[in-house]
Every structure is written in C-alpha cells, then in structure tokens.
Amino acid sequence: MSDVKKVVLAYSGGLDTSIILKWLQLEYGAEVVTFTADLGQGEELEPARQKAEMMGIKQIYIEDVREEFVRDFVFPMFRANTLYEGTYLLGTSIARPLIAKRLVEIAKEVGADAIAHGATGKGNDQVRFELSAYALNPNIKVIAPWREWDFKSRTDLLDFAEKNQIPVPKDKRGEAPFSVDANLLHSSSEGKVLEDPSQEAPPYVFMRTVAPEDAPDVATYVEIGFEKGDAVSIDGVHMSPATILTKLNDLGRDNGIGRLDLVENRFVGMKSRGIYETPGGTILLAAHRAIESLTLDREAAHLKDSIMPRYAELIYYGFWFAPEREMLQALIDKSQEHVEGTVRLKLYKGNTIVVGRSSPKSLYSDALVTFEDDRGAYDQKDAAGFIKLNALRLRTLAARNKLG
Amino acid sequence: MSDVKKVVLAYSGGLDTSIILKWLQLEYGAEVVTFTADLGQGEELEPARQKAEMMGIKQIYIEDVREEFVRDFVFPMFRANTLYEGTYLLGTSIARPLIAKRLVEIAKEVGADAIAHGATGKGNDQVRFELSAYALNPNIKVIAPWREWDFKSRTDLLDFAEKNQIPVPKDKRGEAPFSVDANLLHSSSEGKVLEDPSQEAPPYVFMRTVAPEDAPDVATYVEIGFEKGDAVSIDGVHMSPATILTKLNDLGRDNGIGRLDLVENRFVGMKSRGIYETPGGTILLAAHRAIESLTLDREAAHLKDSIMPRYAELIYYGFWFAPEREMLQALIDKSQEHVEGTVRLKLYKGNTIVVGRSSPKSLYSDALVTFEDDRGAYDQKDAAGFIKLNALRLRTLAARNKLG
Amino acid sequence: MSDVKKVVLAYSGGLDTSIILKWLQLEYGAEVVTFTADLGQGEELEPARQKAEMMGIKQIYIEDVREEFVRDFVFPMFRANTLYEGTYLLGTSIARPLIAKRLVEIAKEVGADAIAHGATGKGNDQVRFELSAYALNPNIKVIAPWREWDFKSRTDLLDFAEKNQIPVPKDKRGEAPFSVDANLLHSSSEGKVLEDPSQEAPPYVFMRTVAPEDAPDVATYVEIGFEKGDAVSIDGVHMSPATILTKLNDLGRDNGIGRLDLVENRFVGMKSRGIYETPGGTILLAAHRAIESLTLDREAAHLKDSIMPRYAELIYYGFWFAPEREMLQALIDKSQEHVEGTVRLKLYKGNTIVVGRSSPKSLYSDALVTFEDDRGAYDQKDAAGFIKLNALRLRTLAARNKLG
Amino acid sequence: MSDVKKVVLAYSGGLDTSIILKWLQLEYGAEVVTFTADLGQGEELEPARQKAEMMGIKQIYIEDVREEFVRDFVFPMFRANTLYEGTYLLGTSIARPLIAKRLVEIAKEVGADAIAHGATGKGNDQVRFELSAYALNPNIKVIAPWREWDFKSRTDLLDFAEKNQIPVPKDKRGEAPFSVDANLLHSSSEGKVLEDPSQEAPPYVFMRTVAPEDAPDVATYVEIGFEKGDAVSIDGVHMSPATILTKLNDLGRDNGIGRLDLVENRFVGMKSRGIYETPGGTILLAAHRAIESLTLDREAAHLKDSIMPRYAELIYYGFWFAPEREMLQALIDKSQEHVEGTVRLKLYKGNTIVVGRSSPKSLYSDALVTFEDDRGAYDQKDAAGFIKLNALRLRTLAARNKLG
C-alpha cells in the first residue's frame, strides 16, 4: 500500500472523515489533500478548513459547487422525469459523480496518485464514487477506508480518534439513531431506528420539511417558467439554477412537500429502507411533466417514459459517466428543444397540484387546432378507417384462433 | 346499411344513448337489444330498463358487472403499477373492453349481427370499444352513430329527440358545462369549461372527492392486505375485489385523495385536458408499490417498470384483447406469485403516505439476512471486486478515449 | 376537388405514373409538375423527361439524389444495424422520406398546393409518403390516385391509357408476374407469382444478384474502412457514400450475396411476402457490426440493440421525420464517435464472412489491456466479489422461496 | 477452508479437471464426488469414470442429459430467436445452468456441502455456474480452484500433475493453440492463436463443420415441422428434441453452415474473440423465424424482438434461474401457442435459405384473407383515415415548429 504518496480525500469536516484523514496519514504515510464541497447541504464549510489545518493539511480545497450541481447534474436528470423504482428522486445518487469528478481533477492538479472517500462497503455510494472516478481516470487509485481498515465497531473508531487527538463531539459519542446525507436536492435518512420497514418513521427524522399537518391552512400558488426543459424562472423572475432550486425548497419545506418513506433495492444486492425529503425536486418534477404535457409530442413523451427506468437505474447505480447514460441523455435532450412555457401549481399540506400550464410552443393551443380550419383539421370519418386498419390484425387473429 | 337486422346497444338510459336507440330503429330499421351495465358508476339502472321498455325494446340486459370489472380488469392492471403518461390511472380505458366483451357475447346469444356504442368520433373510447369487439368477433359489425349521422349540432339532436318523443330532462336542454364518465375506479370530466389548460378547474367539477381543504384535520390509517399481487383485505377483513375498491373509494373520497388535472395525448392524435378522480385507485397503487418493494426482487421490479409504459399505452389505446397485452400480462402475473403481505397507509388531506409494510414473503426480513450468518452473508471485501469488474469497461473506455 | 391548382407528382416515366399524370390533368384540372429522382434504381431518366414533355408538362424536375440518399438516409440507418423483423434491411422504406421531402420542397418552389404519388392503397408506401409529407408541411394536400379513382381492374387502366394516347409497352399489356421497386440499396419483388409463401420463388425473380450457385468458386476479400460509424473507404481507397454502396453492390451481386425471401407484417395490418436483394447493404451491415464489436463499449452496444427494433419499426412504418426517430438517431449517433477502423470480409457464394477487424480506437487492443500492467489490469480475485454481489439477490430469493 | 467435507465436482475426465480433483482432495481434504454429463460434446464418458475410479472417487455420476438440455434449455431459448450482440447463438452459455443444477441436486443427494467447477477467473462461465448454483441453493459453497490456487503458470500445473501421478497426455505437455468448449448446440474456440481479432482464424480451428468451399455443389432441402414454437419433426418424421438437433447438426456440418467469427463483450468487463460453430442451431433459428413470420401477429413479434436483446443478455450473463428470465420466458411462451407448421429450407455452402413456409395456423392464408369477403376485408378508403389520424400529431408539430 505504501506506493500511494498523495491522496485527495472527500472531506466533510465531520468525525468520520476526520478519522479517515488521520488513518490515511498513518496507514499510507501519504500526504492528504482535502476537498470539501458546498452542495447545499446546509453546513458551514469554514470549520472543515480549520479542522483540516489542525490536522496538518497543506492543500485544502473548499468549493461552492451548487450552481454546477444543479445546472449540470440535477437539471439534466429532471429533463427525463427521473424516478428510481417509481418514487425516488435520486437526490443522493446525483451528487456523487460531481464529487468524484472534482476529486479526480484535483488529483491531477496536485499530482496525487489516489483519491479516498468515506462511503461504507455495504452501500451504493462507494460504487458511485468509484465508477465515476475510474471512468474519468482509468489509472486512478481509489482508497475506501471503510472496506480496508480493521476497526470492528464504533468503539474501535472512537478509540482511534481519541488516541490521535481527533476531537469527538459529545453527541457523536453514542451512535446516531440514523445516518443522514444532504445536498441542495434532498436529505436522506437511513439505518438504526428506521431499519424496521413495518414501523412508521418517528417525526424527528424529518429535518427539512414541516409535517403536512403543520403546514399553512391556506394554499400557496407558484408559477415556474421553463426553457428547453429546464426551470428558468419563478413567478416570472428569472433566476440561476441553484437559486431556483433553493427557492422551491423553501416553498416545499413550508408546505410539507416531498417526504418519502421507501424500501429500495441497492445495486450491491440488498434492500434498504430510507426516508427522503426532496421538497423542491418534488415540485419541479410535477411542473416539468406538466409543461411537457403541453409541448411534447405523444410519441416523444412515450419514448422518454419507456427509457426513463433504465436512465434512473444508471444514475442510481453510479453510471453517470458511462456512454450508455450519455446516449440516453442525447435522446432526452433532443426532446426538450421546445419544452418551454409556464406551469402554475398549488401547494397545500403535502400536495403539489398542477392547476394550469401555458406555452408559446403549445401543441394544444387553438392557433394550431385551426391550422387548416377551412379543410377540416379533423374529420370524424377518418376515425373509422383508422380503427379498421388498426383492427385488421386483431380480426385476422380472431378468425385464425377460431379455426384452431 | 339495411343488412343489419338486430343490434346490441350499450345503453346508459341517458338522453344521448336514447337518441341513438331511436336512430338505430329508424335509420337501420333494426331490432335493438339494450345492454346496461353496473360498473359502479353510481346510478340507478331501473330507469334504464323502463326507458328501454317504453321505446319498445324486448330484450333488455341489465347486469351488475362490478366484481368482474375489478377482478378481471382493474386488479390485473394494478399488478403492473400502471400509469399512462406518468400520472393517469386509466379509469375510463379499463372499463371499455369489459363492455365490448359483453356486447359481443350478447350479440351471439341473441343472434344480433351488429353492436352499437355512443362514443364520439374524436375520442379514444370508440377505438377501445371497436378494437375489443373485433378482437373477440372478427365478423361483428360495429355501428358508431356519432360518426355516421348527419346531426350538425346539439340543437339537431334535441330536435330529433323531440320529434321522436324522447323525453329531454330540463337540465339537458342547454349544453352541459363538461362531460363525465364514471365507474367504480374513477370519474373523469372533460370538455367545455375545462378546455383551457391554463385555467384551474372550477371546484364544482369534482364530484367524487372532497377537496383536500375540506378533508378531516386528523389522518386516517388503513391497512391493506395483498395476496399474489391483489388486494384481499382491509384492516384485516377479507373482502371481494369490488368491495375492497368501494371501501378504498370511501376512504379516498373522505380524505381528498385521487384528484388529477391532466393534459393527455389521445390515440387519435390530439391532446386533451381532463380532470380525473380516482380515490381508491390512488391508494391502491401506493399500497401495491409498497408491498412489492418488500417482496419483489430488484430485477423483477425493474423489468416490470421498464415494460409498464408500453402496457399502459396498450390499455389506453384499446388493445386489451390483443396478444401483446396478454404477453405482457403473463410476464407481470409471473412476478406476482410472492407479492403478499400488509401495507399500512396514512391518509391525510390529499396525501397517501406509506408508513409501514410487512410480509411473510419479505426479501428484507432479518430471518433472511442471516441466512448464512456463520459464513457472513455479506463481505464488504466483495464490494471491491464487484466495483472493479463493473469499472473495467469504463476504464478501458477512458484509456481508449485518451488516445483519441 | 377542384381546389387543387397545381400538383407535384412523383413520376417514374412508367405506364402507371403516366396514367396518374393524365388522370390528375383530367380529374383535377390541375397543372402537373413532375419529379423524377435517380435513387440508383438503374433506369435512364431521359425517357421520363421526354414522356413528361409529350404530356404537356412544363416544369420537369429530374435529379440525381444518390449521394443524399446514401449519406443522409441509408448511412444513418446503418449506424443502428437496422433490421425490420430480424431480417429486412428496409431498402424500400428508407427511400420514401427522401422522395416525399423533395416533393414538398418542389411544391413550395413552384407554388403547388398538392403532391401526388403512385403508391397503392394496400401497401406501406402510401403511409411513408404521406406521413413524411405532412411532417414537413402540415397544410400540404396529398393526392393518392390509387385510393381515389374508380378503375376496377387492370383493363380499366389500360382502356384509360389508350383513350388518352398514353403509349402502353407491349410487355405491360398483360399483368406483370410480380411488381418491383428498386434503388441503390435494394430491389424488392412482390405479388402475383410470389403470393404463395409456401412456394420457392422462381429464379427469374432475382434481378440484381447472381445465384450463389453461379458465383465464383474462389472467395473475394474486401476491406471496408469506417469513420464515425460510416463506411468511408474500400480496400483503402476513400470514396463518396454512393460510390461505396455502388461498389459494394457490385461485389455482392457477383458473389450471390443479399437475397432474402420474407413474410413481413405491413403497417396497414396484413402480412405480405417479398423477395429482397440487398447485396451491398448485406455486406455493409456485417462490416458495421464487426467494427462496432471492436470499438463500441458493451453497454453502448446493448443499448443500441435494445432500441433497434423500435427504430426499424419507425422507418418501416414511415416515421422518418417524426421526433421519436430523431431522438433515437441522436442516441445512435452519440454512440458512433469512436466507431472507426477497418473490417476485412470474405465474400463467397452468398456468404459474408467477417475474418478480421482492426482499429486505432479498439477497446480490445493490447495497448489498452496493459493500461495498468504494473498494478494488474484484472485480478481474478475480483471475480469472486463480483459474483458474490451479483448473486446476493438470487440467494435472498432462494432462501425466501424455500420458506414459502 | 477446512470446513468442506464433501464436494461435487463438474468433471470432464480431462487433464485440468483431474488436477482440480486431486487439488480438492489435497487442499480441502474433502471427499470428492464427480459429475460428468453427456451434453453432446462428442466424447466418450467411460474414460472419465475410469480416471475418477483411479483417483479414488467412490461416488461417480455419469449422465446423458442431452434430451433435458435441448428440451428445457435450448428450445425455450430458441423460442425467442435469441442472439447475443446480434450474432451469437449462446451455445456455451445455455449449457451452464443445466450443469450447475445437477451439481446442486447431486450435492443434496450425497450430502455434500460444496460444489466445484473448472472455469477460469477471467471468463463468463464461472459467473454462469455460480449464479445458477446460488439461485438454486443459497447456502451452497462454490469452489473455483482457478481463482484460488497458487499455480502461476501451465508449468506449475503440469508439475503438480506429475507429482501427483496424474497422467499428462503427450499433446497436453505443450500449451494448446486454443481452448475448446463443445455440446450438442455448438463448439467454441478461443484464446492463443485466435487472440488477434485482425487475423483470419486458421482452418484447423473449425472442427465441427466443413468449410463452405468443401460442401456439396448441390443444395440440400429440408423441412422442419413446429408445434408451439418448438421443432418436432424433420422431413415429416417426428423426433425427440435431441434427435432433431443432432440431425440438424449433421445437415449443417455437411453444408458448411453455422460458422461465426466474433468479438464479444464478456460480463466480467472485457472483450474476447471467439470462433463458434452452431450448425444445427443456425438452421433452427432461420426456420423458427420463418414459421413465426406466418403464424405470429405483428405486435406479438415486435414485442418479442424488443425484449430479445435483454433475454439474450440474461442468458449470456448467467441469470437463467433469475426471476427476470422467468418473467420474460412467460411472455415468450405465451406467444408461441399457435406457432405451428412447416418450414422448407435450402442448405447450400454455408447458406441457410428459407424457401417456403406453411401452417394450419397461418395468419396469411387465403382462408383468412376472405374472412368477410362479402363485406370487403380491406377497404382502401380506410387507409386514408388511418394515415390522416397517424399524421395528425406530426402536422400539429410541424405547425407548431413553424411558429417557433
């Protein structure tokens, strides 16, 4: 293992990645470079810098990648109306490739020969980090301490921390009742108190949305504007991608929108139960489907629907930088050229209700319906022929089957 | 046209199908047999009998087909978690093949050479009726009066009614503000006041659910039991299919669940806007997905998801009795053998929230996770190899692309 | 019908389209503009000009569109390894959109309000012509004389020709034993003597290839070079698209390659039997698959394979200019960026045998296999983990099913 | 490792599996039970028995599984017209699940706690064996000596053999120029002299078919009869599944049919080059497609084609006993109910040419085309309406796009 001289670590500043930082220094004797990203997880980043400095790190990367995250990852995904297993908006999955990409880029900049991450050996995130990294640099070495070290228990970890002067916050001395991941798109909670899928999640698990019961008794209306399939404005005001998602998150949070209690199938082969909160994303999905309903041709829409489960699977599994994802993206993006207009939504106690859509590119509008009014845009007699020819093979079958 | 001697008409007892009845008698000089089905639309059927008798009909079929409807059409469809265009539960579509089937069967019983329906020439229902009928009897003649007669306006129709002693209810003298279809699974409203998709539907359009705002302030909990993918019990009490759906409708109605405002793509080529209410179906879909999340293997679930849009399209377009639908059904049904257990849901002001699922056939339960506890059911080291081999092709690509 | 003032006719110069020309003049009283395309069908175009002139046509379009045909239609289709129903290379289907496109363009140039074609009412070509035309100009009027006129038989047609001074070649006085369509990609024969699918096609049907039995006893070797998925050279010599296909046709013809006897399913609902000869295309398909086998990633290739049947169907049905075809094309084209290199084939008495492939972009080459030789590109131990995690869900299932 | 007491080994009687046998005895100290199957690989099985006896094996299973192989594995696969990556008939892949199944069954019978196979750590077969085994018994232990032992080279292996009195045939002292797998469906050759995909395979690689050049100058005709999608007769004579495949192999071999030179993508992530010979299977595939062309409905056929690549992938990867394969099989089998009739083929120097098909269940036959002759089975006027409604969305799009 001693061939690693310099390693870039995805560093949150928290206890676990601080332990990893130290472990890399000790086990690998490697210089560690830290990378801390603001993905909208809602935590201060300065403490991460201070901790890193305290642990002797010389090269510290701290970056606000929220705009890149929403513009280049979240929005392209939403163009496909992506849902994993029918319900999950992929909030954790979609952030991993971006982090991996920066790790690989920084490794190149600083001349590191490895990257390291804090994902465990039982989850999906290890796969997402590593597939992304390998796809971007086939020769990169990836260190996954959770799969390598010999700690057998939480106590071993805390002992290691103590022995190495890593401060352990009081609330981390016991085990957390569940684990959390967060970014601008969502928060997820899983493990421990959530492990029994027959039991309702306790209220304190939710950290990002009010309960529907606690949301206002009066509905909130909002209008989202779209261009080429991406949200570009709220209530008529143009905003940057991250600003839009932030604003929708606020609206969703206040109105109790975007909670999900799910048992899902991990890529590594087991089922797990998670609680997700995706307030803004839930609103965005409804709005995007609505603007597409007006501006997308039927067969374009159905083709998108038919490939969506595969596309979602690819993102969930970690294949964002794989050619098959890029091919599907090319198909999806091609469909969005005219997806433009405004959707009006009513938000009320957990409900996201589409109440209106309009578009200069509508395939529904009167201007179009009358495109050849003088000749009759639609002749009901045509329906007879349409049905007859669609029925021909069924009648042939019926006649054949009678013979049989 | 005079070669039709006897025709079976799908007869609701309402004004429009009464006009059709008379028109068939006059235009075709044919004996008319009426078929009126109780699909759970919530109307008395006896008036239909009386009207038919008054118009001289000798063979009157009035049938309660609710159990057949739910058992043989609705439930098989729900096994696939079917949604058309991502949101529509296909409440109207799924009822048409059953009606067509009975029309064809009755035609055979009574020696009729044709069937007739009251669907217009611009909608999907004409296609659904006729494709189903032709698939069941290739030689049947289908009469679609709305495509054939010369009435140019509502006034022409009312004149014809008056001239022929067909009573016109006062509220039908003007045009209805929108048109309605209903059965045990849903109610749909479309046309007229709903035609502008940018305008919120007026409250009076909703007839089957209370508004979320008017639903109780306290959540209702319900448990749905499943066997082989079908709902079999509510709160531990076994019930027949139609009883279950009726009960779920009540729960949904009271809690403001199942409203949908949609722009959809018709098979005949245009977009239309509809308001749907599917209270029980909305609950059932959430529950079915939840029990599958526990009992269905990942790849089985993903395969189902990948074919669902096609399956939904087939039902929406009217191909229920086509071989491709039956092939997909065989695939779906094969997956449901172990879909068994109980789902607990919280219903609250428009929200259907899954809060628990349990199953004797769970793929999640502890009993299974420990199937080889002594040997280690899951070795984190395996993940390294898993990732390495999944990454191999991506690394090869990355190396190749660098060369290029 | 009298509202048509000027119509552009797809005119071959043959008897049938000459009759149509005259019929349009008489029935519609319209000025006719003719369009005759050299698609590589192997016929002189000058006679078409002379005939048109004789019939009083003032605007005569005669164009060599072979390069456009191969470059913009045939090659994009071959990028997908397109086969309809597993075997048919779509030689007729792919030519129709190009003809329709030119008809619509010419109509605009000359101020015509309609276009006309000579396809019959039972086949696929009418659909392909008309869908393409409507997709390019929603207000175009399409005249399909075969669906409109009252001729009941071949004799009626010949009478009309005679009455209107249209010369009838001697060999057209009786009915042809089968009908033919040809272009640079293929020749098709169907109808009459070929209608019984249990009977072997008589040798005289084949017009474009020698019988395998009559091909040389010594194999011919050829090398095809590719760039971005398209053939660009033969035996090291760069050529234009149409030149390449012409050259491959010669090689195929001489070696008895590309014959196909097929029962296919038409879009209009019936089965038909056809004899196809696609000499160059058959070689091209094998070569393209071979160069992809070396340069395309597994998942990219499998994704292409999975959408190919749908893509083929779209072309066969006539939806070339539909958004869903363009979306699929975007996906396909995205995959072809690195599809580059040379394929060596052996042609022998009907066989097209791939015997070698090489590429600077190979994903197979030794240079790549050793990309991290020092670290071990492939560790057999990884396979154990790979299998274990792939098996996890199957083991869970097996344990669960035992319980059941 | 010492916890394995008894292990069932897939034993061919050859040098490699003999070394494995001995290695298992020495390394694991386990009792070894051998299983040798006659899959039609064309080798005597008695020598395997004698060798096993010589090495002290007490429980020796030698079985002729050819009928089971063809009936329960090969034929179900051919119902789908299965081709991996467009060309490979999966001859090796389809045999593995059967062997794994018998290993697991025998392990249960003899009370063994493990099974062992001789597949290497770089190939697909290890995956196929092990996934199959785990799917059938989640607690089985699988020993893959090639991934476990410390032999670094062929020499190490031979040393081990010599030291342990395992006779090494003279022709095995050097390395084979390529490796071979064979069964009733096919023979495959790969490795060594075949590793450069740019080089034509040397003639001596082919062992199962004559070269097309050496095949008879006169074509052979054969008729294959089908019932429910499976071949049941040749030239009118009913035969068992294995007999039919054997007979077709003879015909294919004599006529130079079924050779394939391929670069394929392995499940473990790399490309490999193989030479396959599938004489009978190649004929069977053509015949099956032909009988389907007559008896299968268009949409049933297209649905099958659309899922085929996934189905092929599952078999190639080793997921025969996975629920998703069984679901697809249910879909496929559902489609085959009426796939019945006779196909006439012409075999000539490498070509398999369909020249005729007939069926009592034909969807093409005249008896059907006239099912309502009096009413007109097909009205050309219907085509106008059919096209108009199919075009409606394209015209709407064209009008909209003009506005844009």
Side-chain angles (χ1 to χ4, degrees), chain C residues 1-262:
Chain C
M1 286 190 180
S2 52
D3 58 336
V4 173
K5 300 240 167 11
K6 197 168 181 178
V7 55
V8 186
L9 169 66
Y11 182 62
S12 73
L15 176 62
D16 286 12
T17 49
S18 294
I19 290 173
I20 287 173
L21 197 168
K22 176 59 70 179
W23 182 85
L24 287 168
Q25 291 172 325
L26 297 179
E27 279 297 307
Y28 280 85
E31 182 187 345
V32 177
V33 177
T34 58
F35 170 60
T36 308
D38 183 355
L39 281 149
Q41 63 269 48
E43 279 172 14
E44 290 298 312
L45 303 188
E46 273 314 300
R49 180 189 305 277
Q50 292 160 18
K51 273 199 198 162
E53 283 171 353
M54 270 177 27
M55 295 175 80
I57 304 306
K58 289 175 197 150
Q59 288 177 295
I60 297 171
Y61 283 76
I62 293 186
E63 299 177 3
D64 181 348
V65 296
R66 286 177 298 173
E67 289 295 347
E68 182 181 2
F69 175 49
V70 181
R71 184 187 64 233
D72 296 344
F73 294 80
V74 174
F75 275 9
M77 179 172 78
F78 271 80
R79 284 175 214 145
N81 304 317
T82 316
L83 289 173
Y84 181 67
E85 301 192 339
T87 48
Y88 171 35
L89 282 153
L90 293 175
T92 295
S93 322
I94 193 62
R96 299 318 185 194
L98 169 53
I99 298 171
K101 172 169 165 279
R102 287 301 297 137
L103 289 175
V104 168
E105 289 168 349
I106 293 170
K108 191 172 179 195
E109 280 172 41
V110 303
D113 39 14
I115 62 171
H117 63 77
T120 72
K122 278 200 158 185
N124 294 303
D125 284 333
Q126 56 177 340
V127 191
R128 295 167 187 152
F129 278 126
E130 298 179 30
L131 292 183
S132 292
Y134 288 134
L136 297 170
N137 180 350
N139 295 313
I140 197 77
K141 179 166 175 57
V142 184
I143 302 173
W146 282 95
R147 293 202 308 260
E148 297 182 17
W149 61 32
D150 296 321
F151 304 135
K152 303 272 184 242
S153 64
R154 193 83 199 154
T155 313
D156 287 358
L157 238 76
L158 296 178
D159 287 351
F160 176 87
E162 213 150 288
K163 204 185 314 174
N164 290 286
Q165 281 88 39
I166 301 169
V168 178
K170 270 187 194 150
D171 65 330
K172 300 277 174 172
R173 287 189 195 269
E175 283 207 56
F178 54 92
S179 71
V180 170
D181 176 68
N183 59 47
L184 200 56
L185 181 55
H186 97 327
S187 297
S188 74
S189 306
E190 54 183 24
K192 298 283 178 314
V193 302
L194 297 171
E195 272 182 4
D196 182 347
S198 74
Q199 295 304 307
E200 188 168 359
Y204 62 80
V205 168
F206 299 94
M207 57 189 57
R208 185 138 173 187
T209 52
V210 306
E213 286 88 342
D214 299 331
D217 289 329
V218 175
T220 304
Y221 283 80
V222 62
E223 279 193 5
I224 305 180
F226 286 89
E227 283 174 15
K228 293 187 189 296
D230 292 340
V232 295
S233 68
I234 293 180
D235 291 333
V237 183
H238 271 65
M239 300 176 194
S240 74
T243 313
I244 281 181
L245 187 50
T246 304
K247 177 80 175 143
L248 293 179
N249 278 336
D250 292 346
L251 288 165
R253 180 197 59 222
D254 293 348
N255 289 290
I257 287 168
R259 295 179 166 199
L260 180 66
D261 178 336
L262 181 65

Side-chain angles (χ1 to χ4, degrees), chain D residues 308-328:
Chain D
M308 187 278 281
R310 173 80 173 122
Y311 178 82
E313 188 184 78
L314 286 171
I315 295 175
Y316 184 87
Y317 288 2
F319 290 95
W320 180 263
F321 291 115
E324 62 273 25
R325 203 277 311 171
E326 291 167 355
M327 288 162 67
L328 289 172

Side-chain angles (χ1 to χ4, degrees), chain A residues 84-87 120-122 126-127 130-131 134-140 146-148 194-201 212-213 219 221 261-263 265-273 289 292-299 301-302 305-306 309 313 317 319 321-324 346 348-351 354-358 363-364 378 380-381 383-384 386-388 390-391 393-395 397-399 402, chain B residues 84-87 120-122 126-127 130-131 134-140 146-148 194-201 212-213 219 221 261-263 265-273 289 292-299 301-302 305-306 309 313 317 319 321-324 346 348-351 354-358 363-364 378 380-381 383-384 386-388 390-391 393-395 397-399 402:
Chain A
Y84 181 67
E85 302 191 337
T87 48
T120 72
K122 279 200 158 186
Q126 57 176 339
V127 191
E130 299 178 30
L131 292 184
Y134 288 135
L136 296 170
N137 180 350
N139 295 312
I140 198 77
W146 281 96
R147 292 203 308 260
E148 296 182 17
L194 297 171
E195 271 182 4
D196 182 347
S198 74
Q199 296 303 307
E200 187 168 358
E213 287 87 344
Y221 282 80
D261 177 337
L262 182 66
V263 173
N265 294 292
R266 288 190 184 159
F267 187 30
V268 291
M270 85 241 321
K271 289 182 183 290
S272 71
R273 193 262 194 107
R289 270 219 172 265
E292 282 195 341
S293 77
L294 209 58
T295 57
L296 210 60
D297 166 67
R298 181 185 75 206
E299 292 302 310
H302 291 199
D305 281 350
S306 77
E313 188 184 77
Y317 288 2
F319 290 96
F321 291 115
E324 63 272 26
K346 177 181 171 183
Y348 174 71
K349 285 188 183 288
N351 297 278
V354 175
V355 295
R357 348 69 191 128
S358 59
L363 294 168
Y364 182 100
Y378 186 96
Q380 299 208 13
K381 301 274 186 296
F386 179 73
I387 295 170
K388 272 295 178 76
N390 272 300
R393 64 181 186 90
L394 300 176
R395 300 172 79 185
L397 270 170
K402 270 186 186 175
Chain B
Y84 181 68
E85 302 192 337
T87 48
T120 71
K122 278 200 160 187
Q126 55 176 341
V127 191
E130 299 178 31
L131 292 183
Y134 288 135
L136 296 171
N137 180 351
N139 295 313
I140 198 76
W146 282 95
R147 292 201 308 260
E148 297 183 16
L194 298 171
E195 272 182 5
D196 182 348
S198 74
Q199 295 304 308
E200 187 168 358
E213 287 87 343
Y221 283 80
D261 178 336
L262 181 66
V263 173
N265 294 292
R266 289 191 183 158
F267 187 29
V268 291
M270 84 240 324
K271 288 182 183 290
S272 71
R273 193 260 195 108
R289 271 220 173 263
E292 281 195 341
S293 78
L294 210 57
T295 58
L296 210 61
D297 166 68
R298 182 185 75 206
E299 293 300 312
H302 291 199
D305 281 351
S306 76
E313 188 183 78
Y317 287 3
F319 290 95
F321 292 115
E324 62 274 25
K346 177 181 172 184
Y348 174 71
K349 284 188 183 288
N351 296 278
V354 174
V355 295
R357 354 57 195 136
S358 60
L363 294 168
Y364 182 100
Y378 187 95
Q380 300 208 13
K381 301 274 188 295
F386 179 73
I387 296 170
K388 272 295 178 76
N390 271 301
R393 64 181 186 90
L394 300 176
R395 301 172 79 184
L397 270 170
K402 270 186 187 175

Side-chain angles (χ1 to χ4, degrees), chain D residues 26 50 114 144 155 211 281 290 311 317 338 377:
Chain D
L26 296 178
Q50 292 159 17
T155 313
Y311 178 82
Y317 288 2
H338 299 284

